[in-house]
Amino acid sequence: MTDKPTYDDWKPLAEKEVKGRDLTWHTPEGIAVKPLYTSEDTEGLDPAVYAGVPGIAPFTRGPYASMYTGRPWTIRQYAGFSTAEESNAFYRRNLAAGQKGLSVAFDLATHRGYDSDHPRVVGDVGKAGVAIDTVRDMEILFDQIPLDTMSVSMTMNGAVIPVLAFYIVAAERQGVSQDKLAGTIQNDILKEFMVRNTYIYPPEPSMRIVSDIIAYTSANMPKFNSISISGYHMHEAGATAVQELAFTIADGKEYAKRAMEAGLDIDAFAPRLSFFWGIGMNFFMEIAKMRAARALWHDVMDGLGAQNPKSKMLRTHCQTSGVSLQEQDPYNNVIRTTIEAMAAVLGGTQSLHTNALDEAIALPTDFSARIARNTQLVIQEETGVTRVADPLGGSYYIESLTAALVDEAKKMLDEVEAAGGMTEYVASGKPKAQIEEAAAAKQASVDKGETVIVGVNKYRLPQEAEIDTLDIDNHAVRQSQIERIAKVRDGRDEAACRAALQALTEGAKGGANVLQLAVEAARHDATLGEISSAMEEVFGRYDTSPRPVRGVFAEAYNEDDRYAQVVEGVKAVERRLGHKPKLMVAKMGQDGHDRGANVIASAFADMGFDVLSGPLFQTPQETRDMALAENVDAIGASSLAAGHKTLIPELIGLLKEAGRSDIKVIAGGVIPQKDYDFLRDAGVQGIYGPGSNVVECAADVLRLLGHNMPPAGEDLDEAAE
């Protein structure tokens, strides 16, 4: 009887078949993935971690013993549409069609603590979610939806106090007491300072708010999850799986420590903590990431002194990746979402949102939302994956990958701890810079074709077909919200409302729970903006300017001919103008997602442009003023939240009024093709949607600045001829 064949026996046979090519793959996380895994790869792993069973510590194989054999994951659809009335109708249609829980998306004005009548949010109201200004809005949002039986997830961080207060009071007016409310509020502010930027207050008072919410819900809302610690937005900003794991677990540890410092017993609140992961296209990496997260969280909570097994049990919601969705050949997005949904399920998620095929360019239509929801129903009802708990447990590859992620994440967690914890680490700017470097490297890899995106940089259609997308009438929504705010204010006891708001301001100075005081203000019909402002008087409002990374594109394109052409083109324009071509990258409106803007700023700077990164949350007037003061040649307006039809034309009009129509205005980001003609008619001279090649974008900008830039694949001498 011969010895069992090993990897070393197999490798020369495989390499002979592929003519000596090294088959090892290095992931963006720096993990070397072999082309074959055998029992040798799991021999040294801790059996308590990697050979256990679901429901038993450290929960690598799942938090519950029965997993989906007892009950499948909860099907959620993250959605919010313009007004509370429209969102409510959409929720009720989805619930009737098989959805099991609600997941509310709020518009950016709400996220940033502004009422819809505030001058800073003219282009944002109702555009990327539902506008909530008053308890009355929240009552309408959940009309005919019983809050004593419906699990509600709310993605809210900046304006978390008024939104949660409105939810509590709307439930009271429905006859539902706080102890019956089930669901989750995101309440994860640290990741906002890293990637998403929908913060309001500085870090320290923001952390105080987190602690107050944990304390209040622990005492009054035993079925409600007080925080959803989110890696999703790090994933969307370009983080690697290791970065998403380490920073998210470190955030959770920081929140737990703050709650304990506030006097809470860890086992009183920890069982109601939950997590939220983004699920991308590296199928096995995403499965391993969720398994690794459970092992890491168990160890963190054990180290903090938790005794209750439920305190050490990581439970999670997942959402398929938005950044993996593509504008080009968009029906491929159905396939991408299905693969990502399977990864989430095989990784052991407790609830799941599947993105719709059109969400790369707009809010989902009923048609696309139905496909997204049915994706989960088909997986649950037709595939058999719910019949076995952790079906990939014991896979040589999965167990090895899980162990590698745990090891790499622990190194990063040690670095965070050495810096004094996640609040200090975030303040240093290091996690944000690391994620931006990863995002820039990923974009360069896609642009060079090293990372294949089907229908984008390979197998591209000669002509893209338009698809129907949902369009929101921002002006109509804003006007209806302004009218409702006025009606609520007219009908309230003004003196009682003002007294409650003043009590909130005094309480924010210390010694009181701000959520408890905000609930009282909401009972007196204070608006979201008024509650936010009452705390802002004490806490202040936090602002920051982007500082994109440098050098990533220059290194990635070190020997690329097309990149070198663009660099030479920039130098030619510099000689003609007498200065480097100057591009201002502008983020107007309340959208804080800055991944695309930072990638453009990084790449253009590496190519030799003088790049000015404008502050987040500018108005068109502020963008105009900065552009004039800095004497820029072009403004690149980055749009993600559908404010492009309001904000960009206003900017162009302001430049004309100032006599500076010579400043080129270009637009990039999530912009439906059906809006391209509208923007061109408004004066936009270049439009670059999702999937655009950054180097070709730069070449096009050079043409706008008057340089005879050759098309891709043609050299400079040929262009001159």
Side-chain angles (χ1 to χ4, degrees):
M1 184 175 179
T2 60
D3 292 335
K4 187 167 68 172
T6 67
Y7 178 83
D8 289 336
D9 296 319
W10 168 87
K11 187 179 180 184
L13 295 173
E15 290 184 344
K16 183 178 180 181
E17 291 174 359
V18 297
K19 297 180 174 58
R21 179 161 50 91
D22 183 6
L23 296 174
T24 300
W25 170 49
H26 288 85
T27 73
E29 292 76 17
I31 295 171
V33 175
K34 300 190 302 181
L36 178 73
Y37 284 78
T38 70
S39 59
E40 295 175 298
D41 294 291
T42 59
E43 284 175 358
L45 301 183
D46 183 352
V49 178
Y50 303 104
V53 295
I56 294 179
F59 309 108
T60 311
R61 298 195 63 188
Y64 305 117
S66 60
M67 290 303 290
Y68 308 140
T69 64
R71 187 181 70 177
W73 66 92
T74 301
I75 298 173
R76 295 187 186 274
Q77 288 300 103
Y78 175 54
F81 295 87
S82 62
T83 63
E85 290 90 344
E86 290 205 26
S87 297
N88 173 260
F90 181 81
Y91 294 157
R92 285 161 56 189
R93 289 195 300 271
N94 280 6
L95 292 170
Q99 184 177 314
K100 301 300 182 184
L102 295 180
S103 193
V104 183
F106 299 93
D107 75 353
L108 289 164
T110 303
H111 272 288
R112 294 271 292 146
Y114 293 115
D115 286 334
S116 295
D117 58 0
H118 197 284
R120 297 196 73 86
V121 298
V122 172
D124 296 297
V125 177
K127 293 298 286 187
V130 60
I132 298 293
D133 295 306
T134 62
V135 173
R136 181 61 189 144
D137 288 330
M138 196 72 85
E139 288 181 88
I140 295 168
L141 186 67
F142 297 117
D143 182 41
Q144 299 181 58
I145 296 174
L147 294 179
D148 54 346
T149 59
M150 180 58 61
S151 172
V152 176
S153 173
M154 292 179 285
T155 300
M156 178 53 63
N157 302 281
V160 63
I161 289 291
V163 164
L164 188 51
F166 287 176
Y167 174 65
I168 290 167
V169 175
E172 288 176 355
R173 293 179 182 178
Q174 199 184 86
V176 178
S177 58
Q178 297 179 32
D179 62 307
K180 292 184 173 62
L181 295 174
T184 304
I185 189 83
Q186 193 163 98
N187 190 29
D188 176 6
I189 201 64
L190 283 173
K191 67 97 173 50
E192 297 295 331
F193 294 110
M194 276 190 277
V195 290
R196 192 165 176 252
N197 300 314
T198 52
Y199 42 68
I200 299 175
Y201 313 110
E204 277 302 326
S206 295
M207 291 295 287
R208 152 95 181 273
I209 286 170
V210 172
S211 297
D212 280 4
I213 289 172
I214 292 173
Y216 185 93
T217 54
S218 296
N220 300 288
M221 303 167 70
K223 296 181 178 180
F224 198 80
N225 298 323
S226 56
I227 190 167
S228 175
I229 305 148
S230 174
Y232 178 84
H233 302 96
M234 298 180 207
H235 175 100
E236 294 297 272
T240 67
V242 170
Q243 289 169 342
E244 183 184 357
L245 262 178
F247 295 153
T248 306
I249 295 294
D251 282 352
K253 182 178 181 179
E254 189 84 345
Y255 295 135
K257 288 170 66 177
R258 289 300 183 104
M260 292 166 69
E261 288 167 6
L264 293 177
D265 175 14
I266 189 169
D267 288 315
F269 67 83
R272 301 313 305 174
L273 303 180
S274 68
F275 284 77
F276 175 25
W277 305 105
I279 304 295
M281 285 297 289
N282 189 349
F283 185 73
F284 293 105
M285 183 68 76
E286 297 300 337
I287 296 167
K289 180 178 76 181
M290 296 175 66
R291 302 172 92 253
R294 289 191 289 268
L296 288 164
W297 185 242
H298 170 272
D299 289 353
V300 164
M301 296 306 284
D302 195 54
L304 290 178
Q307 300 298 314
N308 185 348
K310 291 184 177 179
S311 298
K312 308 174 190 181
M313 186 186 292
L314 184 149
R315 295 161 302 107
T316 192
H317 170 69
C318 289
Q319 181 173 337
T320 59
S321 173
V323 77
S324 73
L325 300 177
Q326 304 298 326
E327 177 186 33
Q328 295 84 358
D329 207 357
Y331 289 102
N332 289 340
N333 292 334
V334 178
I335 304 161
R336 294 184 179 103
T337 294
T338 303
I339 291 167
E340 292 168 350
M342 282 296 294
V345 169
L346 292 171
T349 191
Q350 278 62 72
S351 71
L352 177 63
H353 164 86
T354 33
N355 287 327
L357 67 96
D358 48 1
E359 287 187 73
I361 48 178
L363 289 170
T365 61
D366 277 2
F367 169 77
S368 65
R370 179 174 178 269
I371 293 173
R373 182 179 58 253
N374 285 351
T375 299
Q376 294 195 54
L377 290 172
V378 169
I379 293 172
Q380 276 192 4
E381 303 289 349
E382 298 186 24
T383 64
V385 298
T386 61
R387 300 184 186 276
V388 177
D390 190 29
L392 291 183
S395 155
Y396 302 140
Y397 179 34
I398 285 292
E399 300 297 2
S400 299
L401 200 53
T402 301
L405 283 172
V406 168
D407 289 344
E408 293 300 315
K410 280 183 176 178
K411 294 174 187 175
M412 203 167 280
L413 283 166
D414 289 343
E415 186 177 325
V416 172
E417 196 66 22
M422 202 57 187
T423 302
E424 292 295 324
Y425 201 58
V426 168
S428 76
K430 287 183 180 179
K432 185 175 181 65
Q434 290 173 31
I435 291 171
E436 286 181 9
E437 286 179 12
K442 173 68 179 293
Q443 185 64 48
S445 178
V446 170
D447 286 351
K448 293 177 69 178
E450 295 169 348
T451 297
V452 173
I453 309 292
V454 173
V456 177
N457 62 5
K458 196 172 184 180
Y459 313 113
R460 186 152 185 177
L461 292 173
Q463 182 66 42
E464 297 286 344
E466 278 193 29
I467 62 171
D468 289 333
T469 55
L470 185 67
D471 194 16
I472 303 295
D473 186 343
N474 162 247
H475 296 289
V477 174
R478 185 167 186 263
Q479 189 55 43
S480 70
Q481 289 299 119
I482 290 171
E483 291 169 3
R484 184 175 295 151
I485 291 171
K487 187 174 181 179
V488 167
R489 283 177 175 151
D490 287 344
R492 72 189 184 187
D493 182 334
E494 191 64 24
C497 180
R498 289 295 153 196
L501 289 169
Q502 184 58 39
L504 176 57
T505 297
E506 292 302 314
K509 295 175 182 177
N513 187 296
V514 290
L515 177 55
Q516 181 174 337
L517 294 168
V519 168
E520 192 59 33
R523 287 176 178 139
H524 291 289
D525 289 307
T527 69
L528 176 131
E530 289 168 343
I531 292 173
S532 295
S533 294
M535 292 185 290
E536 188 180 335
E537 285 185 36
V538 179
F539 298 153
R541 184 172 276 268
Y542 184 75
D543 289 304
T544 186
S545 294
R547 292 182 177 85
V549 297
R550 298 286 186 266
V552 174
F553 278 84
E555 182 178 351
Y557 281 92
N558 187 34
E559 297 180 359
D560 184 86
D561 291 341
R562 182 57 170 172
Y563 185 86
Q565 277 187 345
V566 172
V567 170
E568 287 304 314
V570 173
K571 292 177 181 175
V573 171
E574 180 180 359
R575 288 192 294 270
R576 180 169 55 80
L577 295 177
H579 63 265
K580 289 184 176 183
K582 191 166 188 177
L583 172 72
M584 177 181 179
V585 179
K587 286 290 295 184
M588 294 181 290
Q590 297 304 305
D591 170 35
H593 292 86
D594 58 356
R595 177 184 185 272
N598 288 339
V599 164
I600 290 295
S602 297
F604 274 59
D606 282 0
M607 286 181 272
F609 284 80
D610 184 359
V611 177
L612 172 68
S613 289
L616 299 175
F617 315 123
Q618 283 190 320
T619 63
Q621 293 90 340
E622 289 166 344
T623 298
R624 186 268 319 267
D625 292 347
M626 178 173 275
L628 296 181
E630 296 286 343
N631 197 28
V632 304
D633 301 298
I635 301 172
S638 174
S639 174
L640 182 72
H644 54 273
K645 291 176 72 174
T646 302
L647 300 169
I648 297 176
E650 184 179 345
L651 170 63
I652 292 170
L654 290 166
L655 289 170
K656 286 180 180 177
E657 288 177 13
R660 290 302 308 272
S661 297
D662 60 301
I663 296 177
K664 315 296 183 185
V665 176
I666 59 177
V670 179
I671 301 173
Q673 284 199 12
K674 68 178 183 179
D675 292 345
Y676 282 18
D677 287 343
F678 171 89
L679 291 175
R680 289 187 182 110
D681 290 344
V684 175
Q685 299 195 38
I687 304 171
Y688 312 101
S692 296
N693 182 292
V694 175
V695 176
E696 292 307 320
C697 292
D700 198 48
V701 171
L702 291 175
R703 293 187 196 100
L704 293 175
L705 295 176
H707 182 63
N708 186 26
M709 192 69 205
E714 184 177 315
D715 66 34
L716 288 166
D717 293 337
E718 289 172 343
E721 292 171 5

